[in-house]
Amino acid sequence: MKPGKLSQTVWNRTVQKQLNRSEDRFLLKPSKEEPCTALRTSSGDISLTSSASVSGRAASLGTYAIAAAVNDIAARGAFPAGITVQITLPEDVEEALLKEMIRQMEFLCQKLRIVIAGIQVEVSPAVSQALIRITALGMAEEARLLHLSKIGPRQDIVLCGYIGLEGMLRIVAECEEELGRRFSPSFLRQMKSLESQLIRLDAIRMASGCVTAMQQIGSGGITGTLWELAEAAGVGLSVDLKKMSIRQETVEVCEYYHLNPYQMTSAGSILMITEHGERLARTLCGGGVRASVLGVTTAGNARVITSGEERRFLDRPAPDELSRWWAERSVNK
């Protein structure tokens, strides 16, 4: 099978068709688009979990997995209390790399005021890169739980953050020495400083109360996430490519490696669906967060992207560009 998320067709025929049971205590049904699980406890509270996996050779891997997991549960109306960590390492990894991975994750968790509630580490000949899986844990009130199914037509689509940012940062972390031969040290430092924009809890808090739903941009980039959002809600959409904010640093790295930033994973970039897009964008920008109204949801199934005079239909999600980048590097080694 192709790397990255399963296609909708494979998911439907191989996964979804075999899930025949439902349970009222679980409030978010399994789907290709849903990253979270929500369980109603005996006390009436809602317990949420979300998991994210990343692989590679950089010590900062855990940062990206934590960002993806905690943003996902926050985008459902909860805020994280802690995480659990599962690390699988190849046999050739030195202990010093593991120590630095743990140090960086603990530093970030202290900054977020959450705890590492559990951690397991193993070395396996089955993997060629380090694999980190983070599960974020949080609580929410049922009345504040956000569902993609609540999205309807004629609602605004707001992008909070920059597309492709996570993918760019992960490439820089893996290839800093190589990129140092192309870019100046000051430009590389500027790139790495953007890691602070991977966690969007403050922006999600600002948006709380005035959004119908939120979805973090994951594997397949903004084009893949727009498609999945529309599939989950049963709506069409019309968005403007030129309204999608992108950092120049991401443009430079993507041009260097011939990657499409619109199809690259971007933890920390959130699509927000609201009745009042311009108002929400102004609120976020006033709080120091980049935000823009991309377009609207529509009745029917048409998913349209415009760019100036050009108008085209959104394609089904393609494999993430970061996965393609890894595959090409493996072949060229």
Side-chain angles (χ1 to χ4, degrees):
M1 292 188 289
K2 294 180 179 179
K5 281 188 175 182
L6 290 178
S7 70
Q8 191 72 51
T9 301
V10 174
W11 170 273
N12 289 342
R13 73 178 178 225
T14 305
V15 180
Q16 191 71 55
K17 279 189 175 180
Q18 300 190 77
L19 302 179
N20 300 316
R21 294 184 298 167
S22 62
E23 167 62 63
D24 290 342
R25 292 181 301 161
F26 290 93
L27 304 179
L28 299 172
K29 303 304 181 184
S31 72
K32 183 175 183 290
E33 303 83 20
E34 183 52 66
C36 298
T37 301
L39 171 67
R40 184 190 292 111
T41 67
S42 57
S43 65
D45 294 326
I46 306 300
S47 171
L48 271 87
T49 63
S50 180
S51 297
S53 299
V54 297
S55 60
R57 294 276 179 174
S60 56
L61 281 180
T63 298
Y64 309 112
I66 292 172
V70 300
N71 286 331
D72 276 339
I73 65 166
R76 291 295 175 268
F79 287 92
I83 62 169
T84 61
V85 183
Q86 175 71 50
I87 303 175
T88 306
L89 299 172
E91 293 174 296
D92 62 348
V93 164
E94 299 291 336
E95 184 178 343
L97 178 62
L98 173 62
K99 185 175 182 179
E100 180 60 16
M101 286 178 171
I102 303 298
R103 187 196 70 78
Q104 291 192 26
M105 285 189 287
E106 175 62 18
F107 177 80
L108 178 56
C109 287
Q110 288 183 13
K111 185 177 178 180
L112 297 174
R113 298 182 180 179
I114 64 177
V115 298
I116 296 179
I119 185 165
Q120 296 292 323
V121 184
E122 65 175 295
V123 177
S124 171
V127 298
S128 59
Q129 299 176 340
L131 174 64
I132 297 182
R133 183 170 182 82
I134 300 291
T135 299
L137 316 167
M139 301 294 291
E141 298 174 16
E142 186 168 352
R144 302 175 73 88
L145 188 65
L146 297 174
H147 300 248
L148 295 178
S149 60
K150 293 181 180 179
I151 299 170
R154 296 177 296 279
Q155 294 185 318
D156 294 328
I157 304 170
V158 175
L159 171 63
C160 168
Y162 297 93
I163 67 165
L165 186 65
E166 177 206 353
M168 179 273 288
L169 287 167
R170 287 174 62 179
I171 291 172
V172 171
E174 297 287 346
C175 299
E176 184 174 353
E177 183 178 345
E178 178 182 331
L179 290 170
R181 297 191 288 270
R182 171 66 176 83
F183 302 111
S184 68
S186 62
F187 194 59
L188 282 175
R189 286 194 298 271
Q190 185 173 315
M191 290 177 179
K192 292 190 290 183
S193 72
L194 297 173
E195 274 192 6
S196 62
Q197 299 189 32
L198 291 174
I199 307 289
R200 289 296 183 184
L201 301 187
D202 288 344
I204 292 170
R205 287 189 184 99
M206 280 189 273
S208 178
C210 60
V211 294
T212 303
M214 293 184 276
Q215 187 81 338
Q216 182 170 221
I217 296 175
S219 180
I222 189 168
T223 54
T225 302
L226 282 167
W227 176 280
E228 291 184 350
L229 184 148
E231 281 284 307
V235 297
L237 51 81
S238 177
V239 296
D240 187 344
L241 190 75
K242 293 185 176 181
K243 298 288 182 65
M244 298 177 185
S245 302
I246 182 170
R247 295 282 309 200
Q248 185 60 34
E249 295 88 346
T250 302
V251 172
E252 296 284 350
V253 170
C254 286
E255 286 184 350
Y256 184 72
Y257 289 111
H258 308 291
L259 303 174
N260 181 351
Y262 298 95
Q263 293 175 198
M264 192 155 65
T265 184
S266 193
S269 301
I270 315 290
L271 291 174
M272 300 178 173
I273 311 302
T274 177
E275 301 282 355
H276 308 287
E278 293 295 345
R279 184 191 307 172
L280 176 57
R282 285 195 300 269
T283 298
L284 292 168
C285 290
V289 179
R290 178 72 176 183
S292 58
V293 180
L294 302 186
V296 296
T297 58
T298 60
N301 294 318
R303 293 145 196 186
V304 178
I305 294 183
T306 59
S307 180
E309 297 298 318
E310 182 183 355
R311 182 178 183 272
R312 67 178 179 85
F313 290 100
L314 186 65
D315 295 326
R316 288 179 177 273
D320 195 274
E321 287 288 84
L322 193 60
S323 298
R324 184 171 70 82
W325 178 80
W326 270 118
E328 290 176 355
R329 290 184 71 82
S330 298
V331 169
N332 293 332
K333 279 186 177 180

